[in-house]
Amino acid sequence: MEKTEASYHQRAVETGSLVVSACGFDSVPAELGLLFNSVQWVGEAVVNRVEAYVGLESEKRMVGNFATYESAVLGVANASNLHKFRRSRPRRPRPQIPGPSPTKGDTIEHQKKIGLWAVVLPSADASVVRRTLSTLTENPHGLPGSDESPEMVVKREAFWSSVKPAHFGVKIGSKSLLGILRIIMVGIFIGLFGNTSFGRWLLLKFPSLFSLGWFRKNGPAEEEVESASFKMWFVGRGFSNESLASQGNTKPDMEIITRITGPEIGYVTTPIIIVQCALILLSQRKNLPKGGVYPPGIVFGHTDLQQRLQQNGISFDVISKSTISS
């Protein structure tokens, strides 16, 4: 995604071609989920960090799409190339986020308020969100549409003015510590074997073995897809007043928890998302950027994508707003 942006963005701008990556479970829920949490911080309140927790649930055995597993294996294989590529690129502007930078937490976190044990998920979500926030920093009122109406200009500028950027991270969660240890074991297998060609051959030849049953080449059965669902929690922490954020080592005194829920992520949620993104592209082209290569948040954030997803079985909810005792 990042190489495509680097290689083709300027040409897409010149030709009026709009290229939008990550229009599936990666990374629309992360993008819209962060924006949804962000706009709950109204008035003088400011958010400092939003941590997303992905929880996958099923009444039957949980089995994932083989291509997802394959992408993880190849992602490990190409990690060094990605780091090298990023170092070669100009540094993009970062948003000004009130308060201190978050400290690195425990390797395994027990997030009691949402009932999950969690570890960092090395997915594309966090980097996609950072690209949206960098673009927003460069364009504080969002990206102008190619031929938008005055009413749409007002709507777009009002929406993006209400968004308060935050540090963002993603973790994968499980209701049990045993489930998290299982996730860590799969991560260790992919990390150990993914760096050599023979190791990758083993991982891809025997996916069920090395994923501890979570992935298999023929994918899940239809009933396994129907019984699966996801919950993605967004735990935002910040300050009830921006003046508190500037007081050195002051800790956040406010927390807002939001949540996105929906059906199975690979075969149901992803098609819903990509179809709705395509319909917006077809029906609202004048309200979208004339051209360029962008992540989905900055393109669709101010449109009715959230409402469309809600009409198709993906819900957005505010769970709680509370004060954090020091």
Side-chain angles (χ1 to χ4, degrees):
M1 291 186 287
E2 293 176 33
K3 282 187 174 180
T4 300
E5 181 179 338
S7 301
Y8 299 108
H9 175 73
Q10 192 54 44
R11 186 176 175 190
V13 170
E14 293 167 358
T15 60
S17 303
L18 183 58
V19 182
V20 191
S21 57
C23 292
F25 184 76
D26 277 7
S27 297
V28 167
E31 292 257 70
L32 294 191
L34 172 66
L35 296 176
F36 182 66
N37 189 284
S38 172
V39 299
Q40 309 304 321
W41 297 79
V42 296
E44 295 297 318
V46 291
V47 60
N48 173 260
R49 181 173 181 82
V50 176
E51 196 77 48
Y53 299 84
V54 181
L56 306 179
E57 301 179 0
S58 179
E59 296 172 2
K60 298 183 180 293
R61 183 182 180 186
M62 194 172 301
V63 179
N65 178 285
F66 175 72
T68 300
Y69 173 77
E70 186 178 28
S71 295
V73 172
L74 297 178
V76 169
N78 289 282
S80 60
N81 292 334
L82 176 59
H83 295 319
K84 183 178 179 181
F85 170 75
R86 285 174 172 169
R87 287 194 297 269
S88 72
R89 299 293 299 156
R91 193 175 183 87
R92 296 191 64 182
R94 295 184 177 183
Q96 293 293 320
I97 299 171
S101 297
T103 57
K104 188 175 181 179
D106 298 330
T107 301
I108 300 177
E109 177 189 1
H110 189 197
Q111 178 49 264
K112 296 179 181 178
K113 288 191 176 180
I114 60 176
L116 291 178
W117 295 85
V119 292
V120 172
L121 178 65
S123 71
D125 284 345
S127 62
V128 170
V129 166
R130 282 195 295 270
R131 286 167 57 212
T132 281
L133 293 180
S134 289
T135 306
L136 182 60
T137 303
E138 297 166 333
N139 305 269
H141 294 114
L143 298 172
S146 59
D147 188 23
E148 59 188 343
S149 66
E151 293 80 12
M152 194 62 202
V153 172
V154 172
K155 178 183 176 183
R156 168 176 55 78
E157 292 185 349
F159 173 80
W160 288 112
S161 296
S162 70
V163 171
K164 298 179 179 180
H167 300 285
F168 182 71
V170 184
K171 296 186 176 184
I172 186 164
S174 172
K175 292 180 179 179
S176 71
L177 181 57
L178 185 62
I180 281 297
L181 295 176
R182 186 181 176 193
I183 291 170
I184 291 173
M185 282 301 302
V186 173
I188 289 172
F189 286 146
I190 294 175
L192 284 176
F193 292 98
N195 285 309
T196 66
S197 58
F198 179 66
R200 291 191 292 275
W201 179 83
L202 285 173
L203 289 170
L204 298 177
K205 181 71 174 177
F206 307 104
S208 185
L209 173 65
F210 288 104
S211 70
L212 304 181
W214 270 328
F215 295 94
R216 55 179 183 238
K217 282 199 171 180
N218 57 353
E222 193 167 332
E223 59 268 19
E224 290 169 331
V225 171
E226 291 173 353
S227 69
S229 62
F230 80 91
K231 291 179 181 177
M232 194 165 183
W233 305 79
F234 296 80
V235 179
R237 291 195 163 197
F239 302 89
S240 56
N241 192 296
E242 188 168 1
S243 62
L244 294 174
S246 61
Q247 295 177 12
N249 295 323
T250 305
K251 293 182 179 180
D253 68 337
M254 187 173 173
E255 181 180 80
I256 297 179
I257 300 177
T258 55
R259 186 183 65 195
I260 301 177
T261 58
E264 190 273 339
I265 62 174
Y267 293 86
V268 186
T269 289
T270 288
I272 290 171
I273 293 172
I274 197 168
V275 167
Q276 293 306 320
C277 288
L279 290 172
I280 290 174
L281 191 62
L282 286 169
S283 63
Q284 302 176 36
R285 184 65 183 90
K286 292 181 179 180
N287 297 329
L288 304 179
K290 182 178 179 181
V293 181
Y294 297 106
I298 197 67
V299 173
F300 297 116
H302 65 287
T303 70
D304 61 344
L305 179 57
Q306 179 183 321
Q307 289 73 26
R308 287 169 173 264
L309 297 183
Q310 288 175 305
Q311 292 165 4
N312 285 275
I314 300 172
S315 63
F316 292 68
D317 301 291
V318 177
I319 303 303
S320 65
K321 296 183 179 183
S322 59
T323 300
I324 303 172
S325 56
S326 57

